[in-house]
Amino acid sequence: MAEEIAREEGKTLSGVVQEALRLLKRQRFSEEFKSIQDYWSRKAREKGILTEEDLERYLKD
C-alpha cells in the first residue's frame, strides 16, 4: 500500500513513510493539546473563571 502511494504521488517509499509519521505526530500533538486545554478549562470553570476579565481578577488576588 505504501509503495502504491509512493508511485501515485511520485515519491520514494521513505518519503511516504516520513510524511505519514509527520502527520501522526501532528495528530497526537493536537489530541494532547485538546486534552490539556479541556483539563484547564474545567479547572477554570470550577473556580468561576468564564471570561478574560474573570481570569484577570483571579490573577490579581
Side-chain angles (χ1 to χ4, degrees), residues 14-40:
S14 175
V16 170
V17 171
Q18 287 175 0
E19 183 178 356
L21 291 173
R22 276 193 298 275
L23 292 173
L24 177 61
K25 184 178 180 182
R26 185 179 305 143
Q27 179 184 358
R28 284 185 177 174
F29 175 79
S30 179
E31 290 169 1
E32 184 178 339
F33 178 80
K34 182 171 177 3
S35 175
I36 292 168
Q37 187 179 37
D38 289 347
Y39 172 82
W40 287 110

Side-chain angles (χ1 to χ4, degrees), residues 5-19:
I5 292 170
R7 273 193 306 277
E8 289 173 359
E9 296 185 5
K11 297 179 180 179
T12 64
L13 181 57
S14 175
V16 170
V17 171
Q18 287 175 0
E19 183 178 356

